[in-house]
Amino acid sequence: MFRALPCVQPYWSVWFFMLVLCSGCATGSFFASRPPRIIPVEVTYLPYLVKGKRPVFPPTSVLVLRPVDQRAPYPMKKGNVLPASQDHIAILGIWGLNSEEGVIKVNSSQLGAQRRMKAGIAKDPDIARAIFTLPGLPNVVQHALATHLQEAGIPARMVDFSSPHDPAVRSLQAHYTLGCTIEEFSLVSLERHTEVAVETPFNTHFIYVPIRGPTRAEVSLALTLYRWPSGEVVWEGRTSDVVDDPPLGEHEFLYASPGEVLSMALSRAVGTLSLHESLQQVLLTARAS
């Protein structure tokens, strides 16, 4: 079954958007209006996940700037959108139905043969049963970047500002600063309905309960390395990853929760950063002052 993590205190602005969504959902019996739940997800960077050959870098210190969130709003049915964030809470995407697909049953004896879970999301959900949220998204990404650089042997520390030209940076010692723009950090999951047998003293009947269906997490980060303290851009690049659960072509889930799917996408995206040959060239030619 698909279970929500314990909810945080509701935010009025998020509830307002939930009500807007509900007002556009009642277009058929299976689209009956009901308020979507808020599901906070836990996302963790998994170090040493990505394997690859890395050189030994010189002792070059890097300040990891606070990432800037520039994700697009999530599109919903009838032209509605969910904002990218509200009250410092990132809105990642939804668990729900696609209005063109409708309700899809899996593992049903009533179908004449068992229908297995079909992996992949051909059409994103646009009718929300739940909304995935993540507090402190920039902090999560910043911590992942700093941790990855440290595991690559590069001294890195996080700072509380986003621009390399912020006056507060001037007092800090480093060779480079790393800026980040969060272009994509999304989590979507389709609702599926599975058959459950209900035994009574007189007969057995079947009901269909909603469960988590195909789930997709996507992370895309635009990165800029600045020479310090001049602010000169010495490297630009992107790192990204997409994780489907179940994996494409399969029907069994690999991960216990949507948060784990997103953690894997973040870890794989960030974990390839130090494998970029162009970035390696910059760091290998650095000299400690």
Side-chain angles (χ1 to χ4, degrees), residues 93-168:
I94 68 172
W95 171 54
L97 297 167
N98 177 270
S99 54
E100 295 182 26
E101 287 184 343
V103 169
I104 294 180
K105 300 173 183 177
V106 296
N107 303 328
S108 173
S109 62
Q110 307 302 304
L111 297 175
Q114 184 183 52
R115 176 184 291 180
R116 292 182 171 182
M117 185 81 71
K118 184 178 180 182
I121 298 179
K123 297 180 179 180
D124 287 345
D126 58 5
I127 296 177
R129 297 304 198 210
I131 300 172
F132 294 121
T133 64
L134 175 64
L137 171 59
N139 289 339
V140 170
V141 175
Q142 185 182 30
H143 179 266
L145 291 169
T147 302
H148 172 69
L149 292 175
Q150 291 164 5
E151 74 186 60
I154 302 170
R157 56 174 170 155
M158 300 183 295
V159 294
D160 292 331
F161 23 82
S162 299
S163 170
H165 306 294
D166 192 299

Side-chain angles (χ1 to χ4, degrees), residues 22 24-35 97 103 127-129:
C22 289
C25 288
T27 59
S29 59
F30 60 84
F31 294 155
S33 177
R34 69 184 192 224
L97 297 167
V103 169
I127 296 177
R129 297 304 198 210

Side-chain angles (χ1 to χ4, degrees), residues 47-257:
Y48 303 104
L49 178 68
V50 177
K51 307 301 180 183
K53 187 175 181 180
R54 282 193 295 247
V56 177
F57 296 107
T60 306
S61 57
V62 177
L63 300 176
V64 181
L65 302 174
R66 183 179 176 83
V68 177
D69 185 1
Q70 289 191 356
R71 296 171 302 122
Y74 187 83
M76 300 298 296
K77 194 170 184 296
K78 293 187 174 179
N80 293 325
V81 295
L82 278 175
S85 63
Q86 283 290 317
D87 299 326
H88 307 293
I89 305 294
I91 298 174
L92 306 177
I94 68 172
W95 171 54
L97 297 167
N98 177 270
S99 54
E100 295 182 26
E101 287 184 343
V103 169
I104 294 180
K105 300 173 183 177
V106 296
N107 303 328
S108 173
S109 62
Q110 307 302 304
L111 297 175
Q114 184 183 52
R115 176 184 291 180
R116 292 182 171 182
M117 185 81 71
K118 184 178 180 182
I121 298 179
K123 297 180 179 180
D124 287 345
D126 58 5
I127 296 177
R129 297 304 198 210
I131 300 172
F132 294 121
T133 64
L134 175 64
L137 171 59
N139 289 339
V140 170
V141 175
Q142 185 182 30
H143 179 266
L145 291 169
T147 302
H148 172 69
L149 292 175
Q150 291 164 5
E151 74 186 60
I154 302 170
R157 56 174 170 155
M158 300 183 295
V159 294
D160 292 331
F161 23 82
S162 299
S163 170
H165 306 294
D166 192 299
V169 188
R170 298 296 173 182
S171 61
L172 302 178
Q173 297 296 317
H175 297 94
Y176 297 100
T177 57
L178 179 66
C180 174
T181 298
I182 305 172
E183 297 183 331
E184 184 76 36
F185 204 96
S186 63
L187 178 65
V188 295
S189 184
L190 288 168
E191 180 184 84
R192 295 292 183 252
H193 289 72
T194 189
E195 180 182 271
V196 175
V198 178
E199 304 283 349
T200 70
F202 306 102
N203 63 7
T204 299
H205 66 277
F206 297 93
I207 61 173
Y208 291 91
V209 297
I211 60 171
R212 174 165 71 98
T215 301
R216 185 186 67 233
E218 185 171 358
V219 173
S220 180
L221 309 174
L223 300 160
T224 305
L225 189 69
Y226 304 91
R227 193 182 306 279
W228 183 248
S230 68
E232 174 193 359
V233 175
V234 294
W235 178 82
E236 291 181 292
R238 280 180 170 76
T239 186
S240 62
D241 199 84
V242 179
V243 176
D244 283 283
D245 193 34
L248 298 180
E250 301 182 21
H251 61 272
E252 297 291 341
F253 290 113
L254 289 184
Y255 306 104
S257 70

